Amino acid sequence: MTLSPGSTELTLDPAHQPEETPAPNLAELTLEPVHCRPELLDACADLINEQWPRSRASRLHSLGQSSDAFPLCLMLLSPRPTPESLPIVVGHARLSRVLDRPQSLLVETVVVARALRGRGFGRRLMEGLEVFAQARGFRRLHLTTHDQLQFYAHLGYQLGEPVQGLVFTSRRLPATLLKAFPRAPPPRLPCKPPSLTAQTAPRAPKGPALPPPPPLPEPLTTSPPPPAMPPPRSLLETQYQDLRGCPIFWMEKDI
């Protein structure tokens, strides 16, 4: 490093230029549950908060709920650069059970480190989720997205219908409790048909007879209403919105 006379700018010698940290090797990445690597909780919380800021305590509490009984948080890890350091958290995704769909999982909070995006790590994360879910007997994944439709479409996802993820599940909870979640309201029963039994005719009022009612006006000739259009099924339109009113796309894939 040299200091030019009369100047306050520092110039690094080419021979001493710092080397950029190489990107992790895709073949060396592993997918591990957060609750199996508690020493990486802080790094995982920082990764998620970089995309969706939230209080650190709240984020750590949410990650601490991860368990094999779901919801389950998975980290995409790169091998430790040195024997003394910890693995690098490259990505994260959360899996939850789906109400009334025992073979489905809901994928949420999918994120890759900002400095590593566009290099195939997102695809590696999603492919790892599929292998993880298949090994545990699940056959379909659901997710939502605002602006990554093309990315998920290239992975084989198609537009689907909304599902309800379970915030918690436990083997100690009876199935009747899990079935108590709100469902679609049952259809209304048809109105009771009028009784066909003979009834006593009302007595005519005393006094002069009332004049007959005026004739009804002739119906206006109008064109029939246009048929209802089916809901949009393209990757450019959606009929669903999130809690903020922004368009959201539900997608799903059989695995």
Side-chain angles (χ1 to χ4, degrees):
M1 182 173 65
T2 61
L3 180 62
S4 303
S7 172
T8 57
E9 297 181 0
L10 295 177
T11 305
L12 295 177
D13 295 333
H16 297 84
Q17 290 281 359
E19 297 181 359
E20 290 187 6
T21 303
N25 188 345
L26 288 173
E28 298 178 348
L29 298 178
T30 59
L31 201 65
E32 299 186 38
V34 170
H35 55 275
C36 295
R37 302 298 299 268
E39 73 276 13
L40 298 176
L41 271 176
D42 289 334
C44 188
D46 292 339
L47 171 68
I48 303 174
N49 277 352
E50 183 182 21
Q51 181 68 26
W52 299 290
R54 185 177 173 184
S55 73
R56 188 177 186 81
S58 178
R59 184 68 67 189
L60 290 173
H61 175 76
S62 178
L63 290 172
Q65 302 304 309
S66 173
S67 72
D68 291 333
F70 296 94
L72 186 146
C73 298
L74 290 169
M75 298 179 296
L76 187 64
L77 301 179
S78 174
R80 58 185 66 188
T82 63
E84 298 79 14
S85 60
L86 294 174
I88 300 174
V89 182
V90 176
H92 167 275
R94 169 175 158 157
L95 299 176
S96 302
R97 301 292 296 268
V98 177
L99 182 65
D100 288 337
R101 302 195 184 192
Q103 292 188 325
S104 292
L105 288 174
L106 178 63
V107 184
E108 302 173 286
T109 322
V110 179
V111 62
V112 170
R114 189 164 296 173
L116 299 176
R117 295 175 187 175
R119 304 186 188 183
F121 296 102
R123 174 182 288 272
R124 176 68 180 85
L125 174 60
M126 296 303 298
E127 291 173 349
L129 293 181
E130 294 180 16
V131 175
F132 184 90
Q134 283 178 333
R136 286 153 181 79
F138 297 97
R139 295 294 176 261
R140 177 172 292 186
L141 296 179
H142 305 261
L143 57 83
T144 62
T145 182
H146 291 93
D147 54 2
Q148 297 297 324
L149 285 86
Q150 298 299 333
F151 168 74
Y152 290 115
H154 289 160
L155 296 178
Y157 284 81
Q158 299 178 348
L159 293 179
E161 301 296 330
V163 298
Q164 181 174 347
L166 296 177
V167 179
F168 63 91
T169 53
S170 173
R171 297 178 181 177
R172 294 175 296 178
L173 294 177
T176 53
L177 177 59
L178 296 179
K179 292 182 180 179
F181 284 84
R183 303 168 181 259
R188 292 186 177 182
L189 297 177
C191 298
K192 185 178 179 180
S195 176
L196 300 180
T197 56
Q199 298 181 357
T200 305
R203 298 180 179 180
K206 297 181 180 180
L210 298 176
L216 297 177
E218 296 183 3
L220 300 177
T221 57
T222 58
S223 58
M229 299 297 292
R233 303 297 297 177
S234 71
L235 294 181
L236 300 177
E237 298 178 352
T238 177
Q239 57 179 327
Y240 306 112
Q241 296 180 344
D242 62 11
L243 296 178
R244 297 174 297 176
C246 300
I248 192 171
F249 295 82
W250 282 89
M251 307 188 77
E252 60 188 37
K253 178 183 180 181
D254 293 330
I255 57 176

